[in-house]
């Protein structure tokens, strides 16, 4: 009789594990993709409760809220060869979860590094074309518009 009770407990435990691995939730602040043996098979999940085949499928979730990265001052050369220390911040969020996963492997650190490098390159190219007087006297919107245009094109590739 004790072995029968043990068998029932083990069976209930196995069923519990299967059910818990078959169910997942997506919050309103998340994006999710379903992978089957590493291949993306679905990415259009709405918030709520969802099901999958355990051990065959896997789900990766990503934050879809805006992420802010602050960067310390970096030296940039102006067109006249003078050094200008510029600090900046980057605000970003995931728009295309499939492109994001393919470009970064789903690693936020990888995306943050690529975006900050894109912004630094954009700042470098804009500042290198201008003198300090032009940077100070120029309309801020014109300078930031150039920066955003260059960095935005690169960011779309990351998702």
């Amino acid at each position: 009789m004790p072995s029968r009770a043990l068998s029932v407990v083990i069976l209930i435990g196995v069923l519990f594990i299967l059910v818990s691995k078959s169910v997942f939730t997506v919050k309103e602040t998340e994006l999710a993709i379903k992978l089957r043996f590493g291949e993306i098979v679905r990415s259009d999940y709405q918030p709520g409760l969802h099901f999958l085949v355990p051990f065959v499928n896997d789900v990766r979730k990503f934050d879809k809220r805006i992420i802010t990265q602050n960067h310390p001052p970096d030296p940039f050369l102006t067109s006249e060869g003078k050094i200008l220390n510029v600090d900046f911040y980057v605000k970003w969020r995931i728009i295309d979860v499939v492109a994001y996963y393919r470009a970064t492997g789903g690693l936020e650190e990888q995306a943050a590094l690529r975006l900050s490098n894109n912004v630094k390159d954009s700042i470098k190219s804009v500042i290198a074309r201008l003198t300090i007087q032009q940077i100070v006297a120029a309309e801020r919107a014109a300078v930031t518009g150039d920066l955003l245009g260059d960095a935005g094109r690169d960011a779309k590739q990351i998702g």
Side-chain angles (χ1 to χ4, degrees):
M1 205 59 152
S3 65
R4 187 172 181 94
L6 181 61
S7 298
V8 170
V9 169
I10 291 173
L11 181 62
I12 290 172
V14 169
L15 286 174
F16 177 76
I17 290 171
L18 281 175
V19 169
S20 68
K21 295 240 180 234
S22 300
V23 178
F24 69 97
T25 59
V26 177
K27 298 176 186 173
E28 289 184 11
T29 60
E30 294 177 327
L31 296 169
I33 58 172
K34 180 168 49 171
L35 304 166
R36 181 174 298 137
F37 302 118
E39 292 278 327
I40 299 171
V41 293
R42 186 170 172 200
S43 64
D44 59 345
Y45 287 104
Q46 297 299 318
L49 185 66
H50 302 280
F51 300 94
L52 60 85
V53 177
F55 309 112
V56 174
N57 294 327
D58 187 26
V59 173
R60 298 281 309 269
K61 298 180 203 176
F62 307 100
D63 196 347
K64 71 177 183 180
R65 295 176 289 189
I66 295 174
I67 298 167
T68 302
Q69 297 171 238
N70 292 314
H71 293 275
D74 278 330
F76 295 96
L77 283 176
T78 64
S79 65
E80 54 199 1
K82 295 186 178 177
I83 295 175
L84 184 64
N85 286 320
V86 177
D87 62 336
F88 63 95
Y89 65 93
V90 179
K91 287 186 170 286
W92 62 278
R93 68 184 169 111
I94 301 169
I95 300 294
D96 182 352
V97 71
V98 173
Y100 173 79
Y101 184 78
R102 287 185 177 144
T104 66
L107 300 174
E108 185 177 313
E109 299 82 21
Q110 180 71 23
L113 179 63
R114 287 182 63 177
L115 287 170
S116 66
N117 286 339
N118 288 345
V119 170
K120 278 183 190 179
D121 290 345
S122 180
I123 290 171
K124 186 185 295 185
S125 70
V126 169
I127 289 180
R129 293 186 303 229
L130 303 171
T131 65
I132 289 181
Q133 182 65 29
Q134 290 171 323
I135 293 168
V136 172
E139 289 185 30
R140 185 180 192 134
V143 174
T144 56
D146 290 344
L147 293 172
L148 292 174
D150 293 345
R153 283 187 291 277
D154 294 333
K156 285 184 181 179
Q157 296 174 352
I158 301 173

